[in-house]
Amino acid sequence: MKWEGIIKKYKEYLPVNENTPEVTLYEGNTPLIYAKNLSEELGIELHFKYEGLNPTGSFKDRGMVMAVAKAAEEGSKVIMCASTGNTSAAAAAYAARMGMRCVVLIPSGNIALGKLAQAIIYGAEVVAIEGNFDKALELVREITEEQPITLVNSVNPYRIEGQKTAAFEVCDQLGDAPDYLVIPVGNAGNITAYWKGFKEYHQMQKSSKTPIVYGFEAEGAAAIVKNQIIEQPETIATAIRIGNPASWDGAVNAAKESNGKIDMVTDEQIIEAYQLMARREGVFAEPGSAASLAGVLQSVKDGSIPKGATVVSVLTGNGLKDPDTALKVTNYQPEVIKADKQAVLAKILG
Ligand code: F0G
């Protein structure tokens, strides 16, 4: 059957009606990739939900298509968000599609190159602030309360509604909910959305159970784990460089209700997982996404994921968004040699 995006596919589970405009960039329907090599090595059944194959390269498209459709339905002409990069790329693309203005506030110097390029090429008005994501979100919340501008960060409930569809897909692709769902946590909207989706699918008897949900923050931005706002969050994973997650309660609730946890991984663990999934499975996701695999590795090691478990690791964004980090962590420069067969053979045969 032809794929026509998440609103068409899941309309009976979403707050849409005959007045909701049809918007889609054919988001969703992303692959669940069985991680054959890592599964054997770890003694679990590991799958990647590869959200990097959405139209703008991250899971944000699922939420943004809903937020933008509802904004248009309500007559809004301008949308605005704060972003570590992916939200702004998605907002800019869907706004372009709908002929709306899009204003994005980003933390200066702390967003991946590809994401910045996306927001700009889609025609958003990009404003960089001397401050981090948390400050940007604070400003956007204040401004959108006063101005006729729609806020499209994940505090907009339609974002969560759209993003919950990824949990539906996981259940359908696997034939049931997994034993464990492991996901990176930044502003905590996505973990909130997945948990809502899993609960709803279970209630509708489309799965036999709900998964245990493990969320992973980056250690330098682990506000929920440390139970305190981090004023100056720091991590190589700029996507989740967030010190005061807006959906804090949603994350805590997902962990509590599912018998899961919110835990953290170091930048070293993130970089290790980032390279491991590329080299062992041929899957390139961005550093923020790698917090999820890093969390799986840690949990298998400490026994909080038992052998034989079915595990879905959510890979939230495409690795191509952040080429700088790929080159930086591998520190590999291709050597330039003569365009000559002997020279190439000498090089590759040693
Ligand atoms: N992974 C990636 C690639 C992200 O871009 C984000 C969030 C997350 C994980 C965390 O998801 O915030 O729902 O807990 N990025 C936001 C943005 C903040 O502005 O693009 P979350």
Side-chain angles (χ1 to χ4, degrees), residues 6-16:
I6 63 143
I7 295 184
K8 264 227 164 112
K9 172 75 179 177
Y10 296 111
K11 58 177 178 296
E12 70 245 63
Y13 312 125
L14 295 171
V16 292

Side-chain angles (χ1 to χ4, degrees), residues 35-109:
K36 188 172 173 294
N37 299 317
L38 291 172
S39 289
E40 274 172 23
E41 201 165 302
L42 298 170
I44 60 175
E45 192 193 302
L46 177 64
H47 303 262
F48 294 132
K49 181 62 172 163
Y50 191 35
E51 289 289 277
L53 288 185
N54 274 296
T56 78
S58 88
F59 70 97
K60 304 287 182 180
D61 294 336
R62 296 178 186 274
M64 201 56 71
V65 70
M66 273 298 301
V68 168
K70 295 305 280 189
E73 180 185 328
E74 288 154 13
S76 176
K77 302 269 184 286
V78 193
I79 62 170
M80 187 172 185
C81 65
S83 183
T84 57
N86 282 324
T87 299
S88 57
Y94 286 92
R97 195 83 167 172
M98 290 304 282
M100 292 167 122
R101 256 186 83 189
C102 175
V103 183
V104 306
L105 241 59
I106 56 167
S108 177

Side-chain angles (χ1 to χ4, degrees), residues 162-225:
Q163 284 171 214
K164 77 183 179 188
T165 61
F168 299 168
E169 287 180 17
V170 166
C171 292
D172 289 343
Q173 289 169 314
L174 216 50
D176 200 350
D179 299 326
Y180 294 83
L181 188 283
V182 185
I183 186 168
V185 173
N187 210 26
N190 210 26
I191 189 171
T192 303
Y194 267 84
W195 181 238
K196 186 169 198 286
F198 281 120
K199 279 196 299 187
E200 289 181 8
Y201 232 42
H202 180 54
Q203 274 153 16
M204 294 182 293
Q205 295 175 344
K206 298 217 165 222
S207 62
S208 77
K209 60 181 183 197
T210 53
I212 293 169
V213 176
Y214 288 171
F216 284 89
E217 297 184 296
E219 188 185 34
I224 301 172
V225 175

Side-chain angles (χ1 to χ4, degrees), residues 296-308:
V296 171
L297 299 174
Q298 178 174 294
S299 302
V300 169
K301 206 168 174 185
D302 70 19
S304 58
I305 291 179
K307 296 284 175 197

